Amino acid sequence: MSTLEIRGLTASVAGKQILNGIDLTISSGEVHAVMGPNGDGKSTLSAVVMGKPGYTVTGGKVLLDGVDMLALPTWERAAAGLHLVMQYPTEVPGVTLDAVLTEALKDRGRSADVGSLASQLHTEAARINFDEKFLDRPLNVDLSGGEKKRNETLQLAVLKPKIAILDELDSGLDIDALRDCARRVMDATREDGLGALVITHYSRLLEELRPSRIHILVKGRIVESGGPELADVLERDGYAAFTPADSSSADAVSGDYLAGL
Ligand code: ADP
Ligand code: MG
């Protein structure tokens, strides 16, 4: 059983405060969704948790099973069990998927898995309808948006992280790819006890990747948390009801409206 705890996290990028105090707790087997308008800090949250350069943490904590992730370089966070599926997966010319996973498994003390990597890759590729011809390509190079996300999902399936952040898994995906990727992640929560933090601004994804909790992130704060029904409210009413009239302060969200949910 693993737990990722994000406590009072504040962070800035390019001199601008973007995260204004995020509190989230995700445990093994759970799916939490973070939804919110464009530009309000969702990707920044994923970047800060993984330690992407350029983001400055100004306060708060990120703990994985009590271990301070903010004190570790990105690769050690990943080796400890944190995993990010990026909104826009990076192309890495000259480095194959096989090479990446071989090194990553060694870093995780799982050299034994390396021997069976080829067969795992074929099994996993078939499971998410990822064309095997892409397995030998340099990482993500010349792949379509959908193929890149399948490729990233395949890495997650092989590495078996404790907690994964999926930043807009749905962006750049057609319906079939979305279903394949979402189902594989959902299976990982059941089979491997993966805890998933799913970032999206469309409820469509959540029909496949069913969250137990939904959090609404507006202007760098979680302004509301609730059950799956919150996605229906968003689908109906949009984010307007959760967007503070005074854009400088998320505290200004209508208490009456939230109390009525
Ligand atoms: P979301 O994912 O919710 O759409 P982001 O976290 O990507 O939002 O962005 C939040 C804000 O931070 C935006 O105003 C964005 O322009 C800014 N921002 C994010 N990353 C960077 C960066 N590396 N450099 C400069 N500004 C950034
Ligand atoms: Mg984003």
Side-chain angles (χ1 to χ4, degrees):
M1 176 76 173
S2 287
T3 302
L4 177 70
E5 276 183 84
I6 302 172
R7 290 277 161 266
L9 187 63
T10 59
S12 63
V13 59
K16 193 173 147 205
Q17 183 93 4
I18 303 295
L19 299 184
N20 294 307
I22 302 280
D23 293 289
L24 284 172
T25 303
I26 299 121
S27 294
S28 297
E30 296 177 354
V31 178
H32 290 234
V34 169
M35 305 183 74
N38 259 328
D40 275 11
K42 301 184 301 299
S43 293
T44 300
L45 173 64
S46 67
V48 169
V49 169
M50 283 314 290
K52 185 176 176 188
Y55 296 78
T56 309
V57 176
T58 51
K61 291 182 176 170
V62 177
L63 305 172
L64 179 63
D65 296 331
V67 177
D68 178 11
M69 290 292 112
L70 297 178
L72 301 177
T74 297
W75 74 269
E76 285 188 31
R77 297 183 201 193
L82 280 185
H83 188 96
L84 171 64
V85 174
M86 287 182 278
Q87 182 168 359
Y88 304 108
T90 310
E91 295 189 7
V92 191
V95 180
T96 62
L97 177 64
D98 176 81
V100 169
L101 290 174
T102 299
E103 291 308 314
L105 288 169
K106 282 185 194 157
D107 277 339
R108 286 155 181 72
R110 287 165 49 195
S111 299
D113 292 5
V114 170
S116 63
L117 183 57
S119 71
Q120 270 192 75
L121 284 177
H122 290 289
T123 308
E124 288 295 344
R127 203 165 160 181
I128 56 169
N129 297 310
F130 185 61
D131 195 321
E132 291 200 2
K133 73 179 181 223
F134 298 133
L135 292 175
D136 301 324
R137 285 240 189 121
L139 201 65
N140 288 327
V141 172
D142 295 332
L143 298 190
S144 72
E147 287 156 1
K148 282 181 183 169
K149 293 285 171 96
R150 281 190 164 103
N151 199 7
E152 297 290 312
T153 304
L154 189 145
Q155 291 166 51
L156 181 147
V158 170
L159 292 175
K160 300 190 193 336
K162 293 174 179 157
I163 305 284
I165 303 176
L166 301 122
D167 190 2
E168 305 221 12
L169 184 65
D170 40 356
S171 72
L173 278 190
D174 59 39
I175 298 282
D176 290 342
L178 177 63
R179 190 179 308 120
D180 290 338
C181 292
R183 283 189 183 164
R184 184 64 191 87
V185 174
M186 200 73 206
D187 285 351
T189 66
R190 298 190 195 107
E191 293 169 17
D192 307 319
L194 173 73
L197 181 62
V198 181
I199 295 172
T200 185
H201 57 239
Y202 295 116
S203 54
R204 176 80 186 79
L205 171 66
L206 306 181
E207 289 168 19
E208 297 289 347
L209 199 41
R210 296 201 160 272
S212 50
R213 298 288 292 166
I214 293 184
H215 311 275
I216 301 179
L217 189 155
V218 176
K219 308 275 181 226
R221 273 196 194 132
I222 305 291
V223 295
E224 183 68 12
S225 294
E229 71 285 352
L230 211 46
D232 301 331
V233 176
L234 284 176
E235 189 73 5
R236 196 186 64 213
D237 299 345
Y239 291 113
F242 299 95
T243 306
D246 169 10
S247 64
S248 68
S249 167
D251 292 335
V253 173
S254 160
D256 289 348
Y257 183 87
L258 297 181
L261 288 178

